[in-house]
Amino acid sequence: MGGARTQGAPDGTRMSGSDSDALRPVSVRLERCGKTFADGTKALEPLDLEIAAGETAVFLGPSGCGKTTTLRLIAGLEMPDPGGRVLFDGVDVTALPVEKRNVGLVFQSYALFPNMDVRGNVAYGLRVRGMAKPEREKRVDEMLAMMRIEALAHRRIDQLSGGQRQRVALARALAVRPRALLLDEPLTALDAKLRDALRVEIDALLRRLGITAIYVTHDQAEAMALGDRIVVMEHGRVAQAGTPREIYQAPATRFVAEFIGTMNRLAGRAEAGRFVTAAGAIPWPEAPAGAREILFRPEAVRLSADGETPHLAGAVISAFFMGDHTRLFVAAGEGAPLVVEAAARRHFARGDRVGLVVDPAGLLTLKDSA
Amino acid sequence: MARYRLFLLILPAAIVFTAFFLLPLAQLFVIGAGGKDGIAAYAAIVTDRNYRASLVATVLLSGGVTLATLIISGIAGVFLTRNRFPFRPAVTAMLTFPLAFPGVVIGFMVIMLAGRQGLVGDVTQWVFGDKLVFAYSMAGLFMGYVYFSIPRTILTVMASAEKLDPKLEEAARSLGASPLRVVWDVIIPGLMPAFVAAGAICFATAMGAFGTAFTLATRINVLPMVIYTEFTDQANIAMAAALSFILGAITWLVLAVARTAAGSSVAAAG
Ligand SMILES: Nc1ncnc2c1ncn2[C@@H]1O[C@H](COP(=O)(O)OP(=O)(O)OP(=O)(O)O)[C@@H](O)[C@H]1O
Ligand SMILES: [Mg+2]
């Protein structure tokens, strides 16, 4: 899980293209943008959201939570319900159709034009805008070089692999110097290895260009790695928006806590600097009075060393050898099993008794459970 | 072994093709060359002014019918695929109704619309004091053929329009393309295979259609009519055969050229 990143790079480190009409990223703002579809489906509750210029915002959430719908509102492919407004750099663009908004779109399914070759695809937006041929050719060459697909310039689309297609789609979207780049699960259709490689590349590209980017995914590792800010969505609402670090370390709701990463949960009560559970007591000087439940990540708990007094006692339910560590599921107390990471060299069998030590710095409570 | 099996698989088709196509065609060719002018009968199609005129008229008519049909069906087909409205199934069913009619009935309908006692005549008489009658001419034939060709073309276009990826259009628009530009750059190329397939059938049908022409007027100068006249009135069987053979050959040639020309775009769209 990657850590948070500073928001955008200082201006000096940003590449701004070789021409004078360099990318000028905009801030994007949604005001009370709800969306009810013609069939009555309420895809989005009215939501407010601000994405800073040059920022990479990742929309993360389970299937059907409204990520794509929000992206399409920003793109101008859908109109918000009456009362909602979309602003680019403070200017109301709600009434502008997609072709006038100058945003780049990248889809999971690539959506490349099959009747044009790679060059034709990348040149399309420039051709539509009536850019003169010499300039256009130069720009296309730049884009092909940037995405390292020069060798494919004259290929037909059906002669490309998935990864190559997505590179072409990125080159096509960026060729017109869009004010914002919108990506809807661009890597979901690719196999795991390629996905990682292209993700690293997209990350570097977005930082270098300093473009405002909005990236939709339901893969939290992808969200953590790419986002300056993550917008976690649930049922057409924003559950929490914050840096990856904030989202991971201080989830605002139970949904966010359980959707991102692995979260252990124990019921009990706070009492005289300790949190007492059915499996034992955890020393916790700052325990908030009245806490009924604590949450902690697997990295906040470890097996007790020989001679050390454990906080919790439990029994191994199952153990998975992961290569660099062993992942244990431990029954402790009444709730769901706790996930604990142990050293890889030790062997465990079902039913082994283990003692657990919890780091109080990693303990969380949620407002709704306090 | 594999080749032997392939041969077996292709055999039934080969027998049918030979019995019902190659043999009659060869015979037709021989009969065409067996008249008093011999093989020269085949030259008559270009040397004889009347034959040449009717050939040109037939090709132009068929080409025009194909173009008009594709434009009308293209627009209607995409509209019907993209829009859900009450009575949509009824409208679709109505548009595809003429599929069931023989050419005679189509001709009859054209007369009812644009004939001497037709609707168009009555209205123009009332508005302009002059009767507009065009049923018994090329214009009437054109109308009848278009009417007759629209159903299957619409069905082909609709099947193909269902499969158009709306994301392609969205991508084009996000790159700055106007809706009209999207039609030209995305929708038409996407429908091209359907246009070629449906257009080929439409053209071939129009080249050989007889019933409608026969109902409208025996004087209409299209090739199937000329063949009929040669055969019955003049009893010039050799000439009728030669013209038939040429009608078939030209239709086939035009279709082959259209397919090849469209082939590159179709292959690219694959
Ligand atoms: N055109 C539409 N008409 C009616 N309902 C729609 C339409 N598009 C989306 N929806 C509904 O709106 C809700 C949100 O859909 P959306 O596509 O935004 O989800 P998503 O978060 O992108 O999900 P996924 O991860 O599966 O892509 C869903 O319940 C979906 O069924
Ligand atoms: Mg989606």
Side-chain angles (χ1 to χ4, degrees):
Chain A
M1 219 60 61
R5 207 187 307 270
T6 49
Q7 288 205 359
D11 277 313
T13 66
R14 277 183 191 159
M15 192 196 85
S16 49
S18 52
D19 295 356
S20 52
D21 63 331
L23 260 159
R24 207 167 295 112
V26 291
S27 67
V28 175
R29 188 186 165 99
L30 298 180
E31 283 181 6
R32 296 182 309 285
C33 276
K35 180 70 196 175
T36 312
F37 283 104
D39 64 357
T41 311
K42 199 151 179 53
L44 284 184
E45 302 293 334
L47 62 81
D48 294 286
L49 195 63
E50 168 111 41
I51 295 150
E55 184 181 31
T56 301
V58 177
F59 292 173
L60 177 66
S63 187
C65 69
K67 306 180 295 286
T68 298
T69 306
T70 313
L71 197 78
R72 291 172 63 85
L73 284 177
I74 296 170
L77 290 167
E78 302 288 357
M79 281 289 271
D81 292 344
R85 297 207 306 161
V86 180
L87 300 106
F88 284 4
D89 269 349
V91 179
D92 190 338
V93 295
T94 319
L96 279 189
V98 54
E99 59 267 30
K100 303 255 169 63
R101 286 199 193 179
N102 193 14
V103 292
L105 283 181
V106 177
F107 300 94
Q108 177 181 340
S109 58
Y110 321 118
L112 296 172
F113 307 124
N115 51 322
M116 302 172 200
D117 65 4
V118 167
R119 245 195 124 75
N121 268 277
V122 176
Y124 184 77
L126 305 172
R127 206 148 50 77
V128 166
R129 278 150 213 250
M131 184 187 268
K133 190 162 180 189
E135 203 187 342
R136 190 170 79 209
E137 296 288 300
K138 186 166 154 271
R139 178 81 64 84
V140 171
D141 287 335
E142 267 172 44
M143 290 300 136
L144 295 176
M146 182 174 80
M147 293 315 298
R148 296 191 281 114
I149 46 175
E150 298 104 314
L152 308 174
H154 297 289
R155 289 267 189 96
R156 285 206 325 255
I157 299 310
D158 57 7
Q159 297 169 325
L160 302 176
S161 72
Q164 291 170 333
R165 284 180 206 209
Q166 206 54 294
R167 283 165 191 278
V168 177
L170 277 162
R172 179 180 69 176
L174 289 169
V176 296
R177 306 254 159 98
R179 298 198 286 170
L181 184 65
L182 311 180
L183 309 103
D184 194 350
E185 310 208 18
L187 304 180
T188 306
L190 305 176
D191 65 60
K193 204 157 182 179
L194 196 57
R195 196 153 62 215
D196 287 345
L198 201 51
R199 189 191 71 204
V200 169
E201 205 169 324
I202 289 179
D203 186 44
L205 187 71
L206 295 181
R207 309 240 151 239
R208 211 176 61 211
L209 296 176
I211 190 172
T212 308
I214 300 167
Y215 190 106
V216 166
T217 181
H218 56 244
D219 178 334
Q220 44 159 313
E222 216 169 279
M224 292 280 176
L226 280 172
D228 293 318
R229 212 148 57 95
I230 296 180
V231 178
V232 184
M233 297 185 66
E234 177 193 16
H235 293 318
R237 287 192 191 85
V238 174
Q240 187 177 4
T243 63
R245 201 175 281 277
E246 284 163 4
I247 299 278
Y248 189 78
Q249 294 178 340
T253 67
R254 179 178 305 275
F255 170 79
V256 176
E258 286 172 1
F259 187 73
I260 311 283
T262 308
M263 191 62 99
N264 291 314
R265 217 163 77 193
L266 272 179
R269 61 186 193 283
E271 164 181 303
R274 301 186 313 160
F275 190 80
V276 182
T277 76
I282 302 165
W284 192 17
E286 307 97 82
R292 311 297 303 251
E293 183 190 49
I294 49 165
L295 299 150
F296 54 93
R297 301 281 181 192
E299 56 268 27
V301 57
R302 60 180 172 80
L303 297 183
S304 55
D306 291 337
E308 187 183 15
T309 321
H311 301 154
L312 307 170
V316 173
I317 296 178
S318 47
F320 298 96
F321 178 65
M322 311 293 284
D324 57 345
H325 68 272
T326 298
R327 173 162 279 222
L328 298 177
F329 285 75
V330 177
E334 298 101 45
L338 303 179
V339 180
V340 180
E341 283 170 13
R345 64 197 129 74
R346 228 177 113 177
H347 289 268
F348 294 91
R350 188 185 165 82
D352 284 357
R353 311 287 311 169
V354 290
L356 303 176
V357 173
V358 182
D359 175 9
L363 291 180
L364 293 170
T365 53
L366 291 174
K367 286 187 196 76
D368 57 21
S369 69
Chain B
M1 181 63 199
R3 197 172 278 186
Y4 170 68
R5 207 174 311 151
L6 194 66
F7 176 76
L8 270 187
L9 283 175
I10 222 166
L11 193 61
I15 291 173
V16 172
F17 183 69
T18 311
F20 294 100
F21 187 74
L22 278 188
L23 289 180
L25 207 65
Q27 199 174 13
L28 197 64
F29 184 80
V30 172
I31 295 174
K36 59 182 169 19
D37 300 330
I39 195 88
Y42 285 96
I45 192 95
V46 275
T47 54
D48 185 302
R49 214 160 49 88
N50 287 333
Y51 293 151
R52 193 172 60 222
S54 71
L55 174 70
V56 169
T58 311
V59 171
L60 286 181
L61 176 70
S62 304
V65 165
T66 307
L67 194 68
T69 305
L70 287 181
I71 292 173
I72 296 171
S73 314
I75 295 171
V78 172
F79 179 84
L80 285 173
T81 316
R82 291 286 165 91
N83 295 281
R84 295 282 176 270
F85 50 90
F87 309 118
R88 177 178 169 274
V91 171
T92 311
M94 216 166 69
L95 278 169
T96 52
F97 197 58
L99 265 183
F101 289 149
V104 187
V105 177
I106 304 279
F108 187 52
M109 288 170 80
V110 172
I111 290 174
M112 301 226 291
L113 183 71
R116 269 177 287 276
Q117 260 70 50
L119 190 65
V120 174
D122 288 350
V123 171
T124 48
Q125 172 88 29
W126 186 68
V127 177
F128 305 108
D130 206 1
K131 220 172 208 184
L132 179 64
V133 173
F134 60 83
Y136 317 103
S137 63
M138 278 294 184
L141 202 55
F142 177 84
M143 212 184 75
Y145 284 1
V146 168
Y147 179 65
F148 179 71
S149 306
I150 282 176
R152 65 176 112 231
T153 312
I154 278 199
L155 290 179
T156 315
V157 169
M158 283 177 75
S160 178
E162 288 289 351
K163 287 189 234 120
L164 286 179
D165 179 3
K167 297 251 182 321
L168 282 183
E169 292 159 45
E170 292 174 353
R173 290 183 60 199
S174 76
L175 291 165
S178 65
L180 208 65
R181 190 84 206 237
V182 171
V183 169
W184 188 252
D185 288 335
V186 178
I187 298 183
I188 292 181
L191 292 177
M192 201 41 102
F195 283 156
V196 171
I201 290 176
C202 179
F203 181 81
T205 313
M207 283 292 285
F210 174 72
T212 312
F214 191 68
T215 317
L216 291 179
T218 36
R219 286 172 293 101
I220 289 182
N221 193 18
V222 289
L223 218 44
M225 241 15 240
V226 174
I227 294 170
Y228 176 78
T229 321
E230 288 296 333
F231 191 68
T232 52
D233 297 1
Q234 325 278 314
N236 190 350
I237 295 174
M239 198 59 223
L243 290 175
S244 305
F245 187 86
I246 285 169
L247 177 69
I250 288 180
T251 308
W252 177 82
L253 194 74
V254 171
L255 294 187
V257 169
R259 285 224 172 90
T260 324
S264 46
S265 77
V266 176

